[in-house]
Amino acid sequence: ALVRRKYRLCYDADKEILVTVGGSEAIDNTIRAIVNVGDEVLIPEPSFVCYKPLTQMACGVPVPLPTRAEDQFKLTADSLRAAITPRTKLLILPYPNNPTGAIMTRDELQAIATVIKDTNIVVLSDEIYNSLTYGPDRHVCFAELDGMKERTIVVDGFSKSYAMTGWRIGYLLAPEAVIEQTGKIAELMHSSVNSLAQYAGVAALAGPQDHVA
């Protein structure tokens, strides 16, 4: 119900959603599951500090994509197109962005999707800050765009929207094949997310949402 309300998408709770120990583990598990030795990972910068070292831990090659103040620190289709090589495996799309606060509109995201659609690149869309956006336009999930759900892994969680940072609870929305592999990694790492955090997450979702707004 949350996913349908928030993203206007439908995911199978048993096969296409994985609960994780915060958003950081969701990112780590995705990179480990997707990236093989020597694969290139495109990372817009400035951005969250963990993307580059997690890529290196998976024996991938981080490829920074510098963004510019003149573009409001948004990733452009031209810079993305110029960075793609035959070894490009994953694009990390960190919007709304930490630390710049940049937000990409539907049209801007569609331009990125147009570049991606004729490639085999997978997109890790880190949308943990999606509730901390201000203005008349709602957040647009990259997976909502035509043809992108099948190749997009959405990262979200409770730390920002519900001020539950210390509870360490996040989640992945992804195709079944990705969830199957990230689930194996999670099981080997920590068995499961602690049950109290999961009950707290359910309460956050089921309770009033006016404070989030």
Side-chain angles (χ1 to χ4, degrees):
L2 163 72
V3 174
R4 285 194 296 271
R5 181 180 75 236
K6 197 171 188 178
Y7 297 123
R8 302 180 184 178
L9 292 168
C10 184
Y11 286 88
D12 187 316
D14 295 323
K15 298 178 180 180
E16 297 179 311
I17 301 176
L18 177 69
V19 179
T20 60
V21 182
S24 295
E25 192 217 351
I27 296 165
D28 184 19
N29 280 7
T30 296
I31 293 173
R32 288 175 189 250
I34 296 295
V35 175
N36 294 314
V37 176
D39 286 343
E40 293 177 351
V41 178
L42 306 181
I43 306 172
E45 294 184 345
S47 60
F48 185 38
V49 296
C50 80
Y51 302 135
K52 179 178 178 179
L54 290 178
T55 297
Q56 293 169 325
M57 287 170 59
C59 297
V61 179
V63 178
L65 300 181
T67 58
R68 307 182 307 167
E70 305 93 275
D71 299 321
Q72 299 179 303
F73 298 107
K74 300 177 183 183
L75 176 63
T76 67
D78 287 341
S79 64
L80 171 60
R81 190 179 292 109
I84 294 173
T85 76
R87 299 176 67 181
T88 304
K89 185 67 168 289
L90 183 69
L91 166 65
I92 296 178
L93 199 60
Y95 293 95
N97 185 270
N98 169 21
T100 68
I103 297 169
M104 295 187 66
T105 66
R106 178 178 291 275
D107 287 346
E108 291 163 343
L109 290 172
Q110 184 59 60
I112 299 301
T114 299
V115 175
I116 291 293
K117 68 181 179 64
D118 293 326
T119 73
N120 293 318
I121 297 171
V122 178
V123 178
L124 192 169
S125 188
D126 183 357
E127 304 183 21
I128 191 78
Y129 284 95
N130 64 76
S131 293
L132 278 74
T133 58
Y134 305 91
D137 298 327
R138 73 174 188 89
H139 167 72
V140 177
C141 176
F142 191 73
E144 288 183 35
L145 304 179
D146 288 346
M148 291 299 110
K149 182 173 182 282
E150 295 77 13
R151 66 167 72 211
T152 301
I153 298 105
V154 179
V155 171
D156 201 349
F158 293 73
S159 295
K160 317 306 178 188
S161 300
Y162 296 98
M164 292 173 62
T165 309
W167 289 88
R168 304 310 304 143
I169 183 165
Y171 55 90
L172 285 174
L173 308 174
E176 181 178 354
V178 174
I179 295 299
E180 182 179 356
Q181 300 308 317
T182 53
K184 291 176 184 177
I185 296 169
E187 185 175 2
L188 292 170
M189 289 175 65
H190 54 69
S191 297
S192 68
V193 178
N194 84 78
S195 57
L196 291 180
Q198 294 196 57
Y199 279 115
V202 171
L205 296 177
Q209 302 298 304
D210 55 315
H211 61 292
V212 179

